[in-house]
Amino acid sequence: MTSCITRILTFVIIGGTFPITGFAQQMAFQWTLVASGVWKGVAGKAETISPLSVAGIKPRLDGLKKLGERSFPTDLNESVHQQTDNKTYLRFPLKKGEQLFGLGLNFKAVQQRGTIKTLHVDHYNGKDNGRTHAPVPFYISTLGYGVLINSARYVTVYAGTGVRTDSQEMPPEKDRNTQRDWSAQPYSDAVEVIIPASGTEVYIFAGATPMEVVQRYNLYCGGGTLPPKWGLGFTHRTPTLFSDEKVLQEAAEFEAKGYPLSFVGLEPGWQSHSYPNSFVWDSTRFPHPQQFLDKLLQKNIRANLWINPYVSSHSPMFKRVLPYTGSHMVWVGRVPDFTMAQARDLYKDLFSKQHLSVGISGYKVDEVDGYDNWLWPDVATFPSGIPSEQMRQIYGLQFQKMTDGWFRQRNQRTYGLVRGSNAGASAMPYVIYNDYYDHRDFITALITSSFIGVLWTPEARSSKTSEEWLRRMQTVCFSPMAMLNAWADGTKPWTFPDVAQDVKDVMLLRMQLLPYLYTTFAQYHFEGKPPIRAMQLVDGFTFDSKATAATLHSTDNPYAMAVRKDLNDQFMVGDYLLVAPLFAGEKSRKVLLPSGKWYDFYTGNFVGEAAIIEITPGLSKIPLFVKEGGIIPMIPPVLHTPKKGEKLALTVRHYGKTEANWAIYDDDGETFDYENGTYTWTQLEVRKNQAGTLTGSWNPTRNNGFHYSTITWEFMTK
Amino acid sequence: MTSCITRILTFVIIGGTFPITGFAQQMAFQWTLVASGVWKGVAGKAETISPLSVAGIKPRLDGLKKLGERSFPTDLNESVHQQTDNKTYLRFPLKKGEQLFGLGLNFKAVQQRGTIKTLHVDHYNGKDNGRTHAPVPFYISTLGYGVLINSARYVTVYAGTGVRTDSQEMPPEKDRNTQRDWSAQPYSDAVEVIIPASGTEVYIFAGATPMEVVQRYNLYCGGGTLPPKWGLGFTHRTPTLFSDEKVLQEAAEFEAKGYPLSFVGLEPGWQSHSYPNSFVWDSTRFPHPQQFLDKLLQKNIRANLWINPYVSSHSPMFKRVLPYTGSHMVWVGRVPDFTMAQARDLYKDLFSKQHLSVGISGYKVDEVDGYDNWLWPDVATFPSGIPSEQMRQIYGLQFQKMTDGWFRQRNQRTYGLVRGSNAGASAMPYVIYNDYYDHRDFITALITSSFIGVLWTPEARSSKTSEEWLRRMQTVCFSPMAMLNAWADGTKPWTFPDVAQDVKDVMLLRMQLLPYLYTTFAQYHFEGKPPIRAMQLVDGFTFDSKATAATLHSTDNPYAMAVRKDLNDQFMVGDYLLVAPLFAGEKSRKVLLPSGKWYDFYTGNFVGEAAIIEITPGLSKIPLFVKEGGIIPMIPPVLHTPKKGEKLALTVRHYGKTEANWAIYDDDGETFDYENGTYTWTQLEVRKNQAGTLTGSWNPTRNNGFHYSTITWEFMTK
């Protein structure tokens, strides 16, 4: 911990030192250890409302303790803060060669050094400028630390762009006329931050690796969410004006054709009024909600309800909720102030009665992000007195927290969709989605979600060609929520006949991988490791990120901006599975394999080691690679996730030629009993016998919700 | 003037009235008449630094008086302001059917109702989101008023988007499930503004028409700039590493080939060091600046110097300017704080000695706008104590003001280029330019510049085809600065042989139109009428701007956003000339003709009246149309603008069949003596004789700088 000192800035220049007026004093932080490897500092006067306060985080102290002790990252000793122009300024040092990740859910770039962002909850609209669904003010450094600015304001981050006159390592001045190494972006030695508020909390997370930093962040925020098992099956959303009968017919069609389905999503028309919303069932389309949901559940299918939070005058709670709504409307619907318990209670009453008690399993929470054109403006006021800027930043997060609480009280896990989130969301049972539909960018978002404690789904909606359809369905099956959201144009998994079988295959592969996926989520929960992992979080990953020289072009690139190399199109699912998707139009692609041997998932063949390989995999399968010693437990290709207590045969694949062991997780798959210890980790072990042959073994305890009856070992690499 | 009242907001709803906590008090404005038809109000505590204070405006009281008296626009009586969350909130009423224009230099849309912008000086980067070179916080209503928010902060404007619960005319709630007229953007009855500051001045400009409002704004800001005559000729910029000899050779090439040239622009390499800059001549490329500039001037060609304001350690003023520079650098160059007289004085000394005294006629001021990646960040501090946000908003404006002052002191008019501006710039002798190079958007910017007291050039840089080249050269010749800026790739007017003659023709037409253009600028100066005029500023213009229904599309337009009709591709030059450019790839286009008869400029033929016509004009000429009674004075196709005292023969064209008269303006074309009355307005009159034949007459005073010796009348319409 550094002592609190103040500094007077001076300009040291050739010929003398000038004291500078107009500079307020910069203060060093005073860091307090708040958990193993986690420190808190306060700049100025921190505000009451913050992402972490809204998320109501409960750090997983057991997990943090397991990660061990770390000392304060000395690289951050020189961090300072300052009050200026009714704002709070923060500065954190940055070393040459250091790389940064995080800073919100980004759709274009993984590496963040050299970027500028104003972090602002909004619909993502094509540029990584900070306006995104989860603008988490958190960054991770390759030097082994993370910085979280726990502010619910529009935080602007200059991630290594500004060059200060008092820099200890000022870059040399160049003549652009004559020196070819003139750069539009000279070296910057700091991350600088400005927060339009009186102050903020700052958290530092230490770690030997970026992964350890992310683990600490997720564990401090309560550990990652552990979805119910049905949440990891396949989901499909039905047209907005469908009746109960039509929904049941569509579910039956999946069954008849042999495509898996674990939950259906009902779009706005399940309500009597929507946009704004009554939140009550439409009595013509859904005359008997309970009976309808019972029928679905008999088929082992759950139901999710679309909502947005904005209240119609036709809602039964309209009059009562009015005093707790803001000055501006969204589509002529009232905007509840959920920081007020009165508003939350009214929602809980109505939603519990209308939805939870009849069997609804989760929500899709729309339009808690943007656009500015229809959300409440930043000039809006709210009855609690909370500024609309803060309300915008925490609205989606607060809705997640509120609904999560309802389900927890019922000891029932939920798993839903949301468009707005922020810091502290790791434990929230929600996956982020949006309407932006660029496939490549969707995959980059999947990767960047792994740094900031949120989940993302590259949902499939529609496609121009069967190739695109298959490519989209392949990738959504390797994401936190395998969702088809094509209700508006009616595309079904089998719509393109020439790829219908390939689509079915990858959907069933998703189902087979359930034990692996579920364990991966258990790692998220207990160890803080995200289920989807950027390559940059993987041990043995190296990547030359040096800026490559760019060419001046008078109109396209007048400042000869260098383009940084980035790796934004491959990722890991869990410990072993490397996914390298292809996009429509591509016949081949490059895959970067980290150090260690890698094997083809489908054949077990060796493919490379610490190399960039070129693959031409054909259309039918998504390229998957497994690390040396990889253990992948699988179940048969079921159409629904197993019911509580249902026992399944386990097939465990092993890849490579080395001994290995891996723990598989299981529990009841539905309740929060695992929070009280009702779960099982079972070791899957592969050893060489004296003849050098690999053999597998396990010793299951068969209690606490362990669902696997028999085991078959498959040694994939010959 | 309204008395100052306060209100307590209440929610009036079905069933009762709830007092709302958390709302601060809203205050009515107290309006003070500050000039004929101009009122000022103050919200909160206005800041010292504002665009108008930096521009140091001197209202043209004579011009304002001529416009006559107007009463306060009653539509604005209900305007309110409020302090909230360290910000200032403003609200101005908005009626159904009212249209809005202005809100900065926009490149996509002319109509602004329904938009949201955070006005921020920046390079324009493809979206009309408020980040632009001249984010002037001024809007004009079709109901006959304009509102200027005189703040140097990042002002956010919701131009009719928010729907308040206390709205007097709340739009009806709709069910999106079942009602096809559900709208993503229901009617909003207000412009709402948020300013992150303790307060602001607000100015209201009245007017019977949008044009009269714009006139009042420009006159209040000092009247529009009147360029030297050479500024309206053709200009060409030479490669950055050219020597004096090469520049002279290139100028000679224009002369030899018969292409006009009035001033050349020297790019960064005229200096010994640039990016950052020494501001002194490079002694190898320009050993004798005075001799070089004298040789140019003998050919009647002026010179303009590229600069940006950022100081190199190699500049002779480096050590002295250091105490007056900010905390952050731009390309390792120091950033002067020009709000400090000491910094301005150092620049004046060096620039006067190095540039003005040897004959430099003007500057091209680069990089006073953005991008964020290389400009000083918003966390920077400056020795005067001015926040960097304000510095960003006024930096380009202040540089214009400073350099304008140097030339005024020499009684020498200048005309240059700049990338950053703001409110109050009407009188500044600068034209805005940038690197964005979309031809169609460049023309929209030309149109939107006319609302906000700035000038814009759609400079020609390069083209992929001869067609594109000709189309770009055609339009730049109908702009405030006819500039070729193709030094980086070496394109010349004659580079594409198949259109070289057509390019020459339009460049010479520009020269021929000089008397008309110069008079048009005199109208800008004395009457406040912008030289380029949006059709929306023209009498007799009507346009159905009603939102057209749009179709829901699950990925491209999930909210079925309506697309507003807009007219953003045709404009007026002065009183009579309608320009309807074509863009590469177009063979035909639609032209909207306001009420009154319109004629083809080239043939005099009648083309239509209050109609939308379709034209297929061929490649060689830019479509030009003249209003009934249009009088267009022209000179011979000269290669240089006339020297002081040089007399030229005048040819005056008349279009249509009616009597007409129009005043032509002239003065010495170089000095500020016109400010003391040394100028001439001469009536050009067309009357019908008893036989019904049109005849022209004039009665020139031939003094005060009147340059026309003889007159020939051409009655174009047979």
Side-chain angles (χ1 to χ4, degrees), chain A residues 23 173 176 312 381 461 554, chain B residues 23 173 275 312 381 461 554:
Chain A
F23 286 77
E173 183 189 322
R176 195 180 174 187
S312 161
T381 53
R461 282 195 155 199
S554 70
Chain B
F23 286 79
E173 183 190 322
Y275 281 53
S312 161
T381 54
R461 285 195 154 198
S554 71

Side-chain angles (χ1 to χ4, degrees), chain B residues 539-609:
Chain B
D539 277 353
F541 170 82
T542 53
F543 188 66
D544 174 16
S545 71
K546 277 190 198 123
T548 56
T551 316
L552 176 137
H553 184 278
S554 71
T555 54
D556 294 346
N557 193 10
Y559 295 86
M561 280 276 282
V563 178
R564 271 173 200 282
K565 284 188 195 167
D566 200 11
L567 186 68
N568 62 0
D569 60 358
Q570 64 176 77
F571 57 91
M572 298 289 295
V573 176
D575 288 337
Y576 296 126
L577 215 48
L578 191 163
V579 185
L582 276 86
F583 303 96
E586 283 186 347
K587 296 273 174 270
S588 65
R589 62 160 289 165
K590 288 191 167 63
V591 184
L592 188 148
L593 302 172
S595 61
K597 292 190 166 64
W598 292 82
Y599 301 88
D600 182 275
F601 170 80
Y602 303 99
T603 64
N605 293 341
F606 173 74
V607 290
E609 178 176 4

Side-chain angles (χ1 to χ4, degrees), chain B residues 228 230 263 297 302-305 355-356 359-363 407 412-416:
Chain B
W230 58 259
F263 62 110
L297 196 59
R302 269 77 175 175
N304 168 295
L305 291 183
H355 317 150
L356 275 67
I360 286 299
S361 296
Y363 293 103
F407 284 98
Q412 175 191 347
R413 279 185 251 171
T414 182
Y415 197 49

Side-chain angles (χ1 to χ4, degrees), chain B residues 208-446:
Chain B
T209 59
M211 175 59 104
E212 193 185 315
V213 174
V214 169
Q215 287 179 265
R216 271 209 177 76
Y217 170 80
N218 285 329
L219 290 168
Y220 190 77
C221 295
T225 187
L226 180 59
K229 283 189 181 171
W230 58 259
L232 299 180
F234 199 84
T235 182
H236 167 67
R237 304 196 70 83
T238 55
T240 187
L241 290 178
F242 257 27
S243 66
D244 49 7
E245 281 308 317
K246 284 195 173 169
V247 175
L248 289 166
Q249 279 168 28
E250 196 143 288
E253 207 178 352
F254 272 73
E255 187 91 27
K257 290 183 188 290
Y259 287 81
L261 186 64
S262 282
F263 62 110
V264 292
L266 307 185
E267 287 292 317
W270 67 268
Q271 294 172 96
S272 65
H273 297 79
S274 80
Y275 281 53
N277 306 283
S278 64
F279 305 119
V280 299
W281 295 90
D282 181 79
S283 59
T284 57
R285 292 185 288 273
F286 293 89
H288 307 294
Q290 174 93 59
Q291 289 172 29
F292 160 68
L293 294 167
D294 286 350
K295 280 185 196 165
L296 270 180
L297 196 59
Q298 281 159 22
K299 305 279 185 191
N300 202 0
I301 295 171
R302 269 77 175 175
N304 168 295
L305 291 183
W306 177 99
I307 55 153
N308 68 36
Y310 312 112
V311 193
S312 161
S313 62
H314 301 284
S315 179
M317 70 169 145
F318 181 67
K319 285 188 193 173
R320 277 169 298 146
V321 84
L322 275 183
Y324 315 111
T325 61
S327 62
H328 285 66
M329 298 193 276
V330 176
W331 296 311
V332 203
R334 304 292 168 141
V335 180
D337 182 340
F338 292 116
T339 68
M340 301 179 83
Q342 298 97 322
R344 294 198 301 269
D345 288 348
L346 287 165
Y347 270 67
K348 187 181 177 186
D349 286 354
L350 183 65
F351 281 47
S352 296
K353 214 169 290 167
Q354 284 280 322
H355 317 150
L356 275 67
S357 69
V358 294
I360 286 299
S361 296
Y363 293 103
K364 173 185 177 181
V365 186
D366 216 4
E367 289 114 5
V368 288
D369 50 339
Y371 303 79
D372 288 351
N373 283 70
W374 41 73
L375 226 62
W376 69 86
D378 283 352
V379 300
T381 54
F382 288 90
S384 66
I386 286 175
S388 56
E389 175 181 350
Q390 291 192 326
M391 194 62 90
R392 178 81 173 259
Q393 295 292 70
I394 56 104
Y395 210 72
L397 187 65
Q398 185 141 40
F399 208 90
Q400 293 177 63
K401 180 69 182 173
M402 176 174 74
T403 49
D404 178 52
W406 303 342
F407 284 98
R408 277 181 192 268
Q409 266 197 347
R410 302 172 66 92
N411 195 25
Q412 175 191 347
R413 279 185 251 171
T414 182
Y415 197 49
L417 292 150
V418 73
R419 280 178 72 130
S421 199
N422 209 322
S426 312
M428 301 295 172
Y430 279 95
V431 179
I432 301 170
Y433 71 101
N434 76 1
D435 290 325
Y436 183 77
Y437 199 60
D438 185 286
H439 194 193
R440 193 174 277 278
D441 291 0
F442 265 25
I443 299 310
T444 301
L446 200 53

